[in-house]
Each structure stands twice: as structure tokens, then as C-alpha cells.
Amino acid sequence: MSRRPLTGVLAANAVSTAGSSLTLIGVPWFVLQTTGSAGRAGVVAFCATLPVIVAALVGGPVIDRIGRRRVSVASDLVCGLSVGAIPLLHHLGVLEFWMLCALMAVGGLVHTPGLTARGVLLPNLAEHAGTTVARAAGLYDAVSRGARMIGAAVAGVLIAVFGAETVLLLDAATFGVSALLVSAFLRGVPAAEPQRSAGKASFAAYRAELAEGWAFLTRSRLLLGITVMVMMTNGLDQGWSSVLLPVHGRDVLGGATTIGLMISLFGGFALLGALLYGAWGERFPRRTVFAAAFLVSGATRYVVAAVTDTTLPLAVTMALAGLGVGMLNPILSTVMYEQVPEELRSRVAGVTTAGCELTMPMGGLAAGLLVDGFGVGTALLLFGGTYLVTTLAPLVFPAWRAMEPGRDVSRTGRALPGSAPAGRSPHRSAK
């Protein structure tokens, strides 16, 4: 057993996530500063997220054939180049709006396969490290949350002192560091290398593998319900992070530093929530925790931002929302690892990621158009109401009861292949 590969992936993900937090604040602020248009900020968000769907959908079979380590490294390098080109072209005075959209689209296209490649390795790395999948997933999410918190705080300060261009250059550097860590720490790990079981590349085989991932997803009411729900909330969250919060921060909260503070509070308490769930979460019913966490972390942010023009109420709300959202990913990751066998993880993860991110392009675009047409307050309330209705799904539909270990069944009533034995978390030797 060795903790080295898991440690390397955690470190790489921390660096990459911290850098992505810089872009999360830096790009919308850069667009608002250079164009003054919330609609254009929405267009940039649309261009950045539309390719994500394509990449997630077609990436699963490709990841297995090329190798998870190679895909992660290549993803980080291309993302670093695309982000770094934005401030460099702007400094030279040649950056056009279409170029910004194109560079963000390139980053969106390659970023998701890298995340997927690292994520699907967790069960194997947990086994090597001698820990459970649930604990590894909780640690993975906690490290990401902590990195996001630090990155957001740094971004707010750097934008206020040096400008958005510096933030984007720093993000480009973090992608390079992440690529080096993955290349070094995952070398020699069999699950990170090209999989012989993937077979010879052909269009027919590729299409069959995509169909296999889709068929597995649609056989499970639970996994399909999770995908649809997260699809809706991801679209709404994209509108929040790329347009609604930056515009609200610019017009009401006092600037980029306050936005960084809000995202840091959210990320810090999300880290706490992930750690709390990792320590004690398995003692409580998953569906209850999941539903309560989503209700606390969802619509509340939008409503409070719409009705207040001071920092303190939103700061408290963001902290509570972060505490709730920190418990969500460990639950979702554990359910996915329990239900999907190792040989199908990349394919199913690609299909579910594509589904979960299907509305993200429209979320940013819709938020920008609503702000330009009706004002940020109305847009916040519309998004918040939609969020509330969406997050009631686990309490309304019976299929969500299958979140508990050993209870998920397909539409034919048969247990899904790869399901964990009833009454226990995945054992470290499980594939």
C-alpha cells in the first residue's frame, strides 16, 4: 500500500482548483471592466461551458484509451495556455471579444476530461492508500473546497491591487504545477495508464461504449434523478457565479474584494461541511442529509442577495450555504462509486457529467440577459425560485430513497451491477 498516488492527486487538484477560483472571479470581472456589460459576461460564460458538454460526453472512452494520467496532464497544459493567452493578448492590444470567447471555449473543452480522469481514479487510489472510498471522496472534496476558498480570497485581493490580468496569469501557472504533480505521482500506477480492456479504437466501438454508459445510467432511477437535478442546479449556479454575484458585487457590495470574501466564506464552510460529513456523515440517512443540505445551500443565496444591500446578511447566508454544499459531493461520489463498476466508471462518468452540465451554458447566458433586461434583483429572485423547486425533488420522488446503501435497483427491479453490499460502505478492496 502507498499513499503517494492519492497524495499527488489531492495536491494537483488543490493547485488546479485554487487556480480555477482565480478565473471564476477574474474572467467575469475582466469582462465587466472592459465591456461594462452583464450580457457579454453571460456570453463569455456560455462560450466557456458549451464545449464542456461535448467534452464530457465523448471523453469517457477516450480517457480509458489514452490513459487517465496523460489526459489529466494534457488537460492542465492546454488550460494553462488558453487562460494565459487572455492577459497577454490584452496587454498587446490585440484581444477582441471573439478571441476571449474562443480561448474560454478551448479551456472549457479540455478542462472536464482532466477532472474526470482524476476523479475516476479515486477508488483505485483509496485502495492503494488503505482507506475507504467514502473517506477518500470526502478528503478529495475537502481539499478542493479549501483550495477554492483560498483561491477566491487571493483573487479578490489581487484584482483590487493588481487587476484581473495578473489573476489570469497566476491561474495559468497553477495549471502547469498541477500537470507536473500528476505526471510525477501517478507514473507507474496501472489504473492511470491506458487500459487494455478499452480495445482497439474505432467509431463503432466508441459509439457502443457511449451507449453502454448511457444505458447503465438510464437503468437506474436514482442515478438518472441525480443527473437531472444536478443539471438544473449547475445551470443556476453558473448564472450565479459568472454573472449575478459579480454584478451584485460591483453594484452593491463594493467590488472584487467583497466577492472574493463571499466565495471564500462559502468555500471555507464547504470545507468544514465536507470534513464533518467525512467524520460523522455515514451515521445518518443519506437522503435526509442530502435534501437538507441542498435546501440550505441553494435558493437562500439568491433571495438574500436580492433583498439586501449590505454585506453581513449575505456573508452569513454564504457561510451556511457552504456548510450544506460541502456535504453534497461526498454523498454523490460515494453513491456513484457504489453503483458503477470500475470498468464502466469513465463511460458513465462522462455521460453523467455531460448531463449535469447540460444547462450550464444557458445558465450564464440567461442570467446576463435577465440582468440587462430586468435588473439584477429580479434575476436573482427568478433564479432562486427555480432553485427551490428543483431541490425539493429528493423529498418528493420515491426513487431517491435508494440513496441508502444496497437499496438502488434498476427499472426492471434487479440490483444494479457493481452495487455495494447492503449495510456497509465500499470496502477498500472493492473495484
Side-chain angles (χ1 to χ4, degrees):
M1 291 184 184
S2 173
R3 296 179 181 270
R4 189 172 181 270
L6 178 60
T7 301
V9 167
L10 292 175
N13 214 51
V15 173
S16 178
T17 301
S20 296
S21 294
L22 304 180
T23 300
L24 178 67
I25 300 176
V27 169
W29 200 257
F30 177 80
V31 177
L32 291 173
Q33 279 187 327
T34 55
T35 70
S37 170
R40 286 206 163 194
V43 171
V44 172
F46 176 86
C47 293
T49 51
L50 183 62
V52 170
I53 303 168
V54 178
L57 186 61
V58 304
V62 173
I63 289 170
D64 286 343
R65 286 195 171 89
I66 297 177
R68 293 158 182 174
R69 180 177 64 88
R70 295 175 183 174
V71 169
S72 179
V73 170
S75 170
D76 282 337
L77 292 177
V78 175
C79 284
L81 291 173
S82 64
V83 170
I86 295 172
L88 293 177
L89 292 174
H90 180 69
H91 178 72
L92 295 173
V94 297
L95 181 67
E96 301 288 343
F97 183 70
W98 69 266
M99 296 179 185
L100 174 61
C101 292
L103 289 169
M104 293 301 295
V106 170
L109 182 67
V110 300
H111 188 51
T112 294
L115 290 177
T116 302
R118 290 194 292 269
V120 297
L121 277 171
L122 271 184
N124 305 92
L125 301 182
E127 180 180 359
H128 279 294
T131 188
T132 65
V133 174
R135 288 195 176 92
L139 185 59
Y140 186 85
D141 193 62
V143 169
S144 297
R145 301 285 184 188
R148 189 171 292 114
M149 173 189 66
I150 296 171
V154 170
V157 174
L158 288 179
I159 289 175
V161 177
F162 300 106
E165 295 91 341
T166 299
V167 166
L168 297 181
L169 285 174
L170 183 57
D171 184 23
T174 63
F175 279 116
V177 173
S178 176
L180 287 173
L181 288 170
V182 170
S183 179
F185 281 79
L186 290 187
R187 188 176 299 276
V189 176
E193 301 304 324
Q195 302 300 299
R196 294 182 179 179
S197 60
K200 186 178 180 181
S202 69
F203 179 77
Y206 183 76
R207 184 177 58 184
E209 289 168 4
L210 285 177
E212 190 175 15
W214 172 253
F216 189 94
L217 173 65
T218 55
R219 284 199 301 269
S220 169
R221 293 185 180 95
L222 173 61
L223 296 184
L224 189 60
I226 288 173
T227 301
V228 172
M229 179 178 172
V230 177
M231 175 186 73
M232 292 299 298
T233 58
N234 276 351
L236 296 167
D237 284 333
Q238 178 65 19
W240 166 264
S241 62
S242 64
V243 178
L244 297 178
L245 182 59
V247 173
H248 185 63
R250 181 195 64 181
D251 296 347
V252 177
L253 300 180
T257 303
T258 306
I259 296 175
L261 172 64
M262 294 299 166
I263 298 177
S264 292
L265 278 172
F266 186 83
F269 276 83
L271 170 60
L272 178 60
L275 293 174
L276 290 174
Y277 185 82
W280 296 293
E282 293 179 345
R283 303 178 185 180
F284 302 97
R286 289 177 186 167
R287 185 172 72 111
T288 302
V289 175
F290 184 85
F294 240 137
L295 289 171
V296 169
S297 64
T300 54
R301 292 172 282 149
Y302 299 82
V303 174
V304 172
V307 301
T308 184
D309 58 358
T310 56
T311 302
L312 183 59
L314 184 58
V316 173
T317 303
M318 291 289 283
L320 293 175
L323 190 66
V325 83
M327 303 181 185
L328 297 176
N329 280 348
I331 296 174
L332 292 177
S333 297
T334 302
V335 170
M336 183 66 70
Y337 294 139
E338 285 178 353
Q339 301 300 327
V340 183
E342 196 277 336
E343 63 271 15
L344 291 178
R345 281 185 194 133
S346 294
R347 302 166 198 178
V348 176
V351 174
T352 56
T353 301
C356 289
E357 295 175 344
L358 189 63
T359 61
M360 288 177 66
M362 297 308 300
L365 185 61
L369 295 175
L370 284 172
V371 170
D372 279 352
F374 302 98
V376 67
T378 300
L380 284 165
L381 289 175
L382 288 172
F383 268 57
T386 306
Y387 213 118
L388 176 61
V389 173
T390 301
T391 50
L392 292 176
L395 301 176
V396 174
F397 297 104
W400 289 82
R401 297 172 186 165
M403 290 192 86
E404 309 309 324
R407 294 191 60 181
D408 194 21
V409 295
S410 70
R411 286 178 178 164
T412 62
R414 297 189 302 270
L416 288 170
S419 297
R424 66 181 179 91
S425 300
H427 191 267
R428 64 174 181 256
S429 61
K431 295 292 185 182

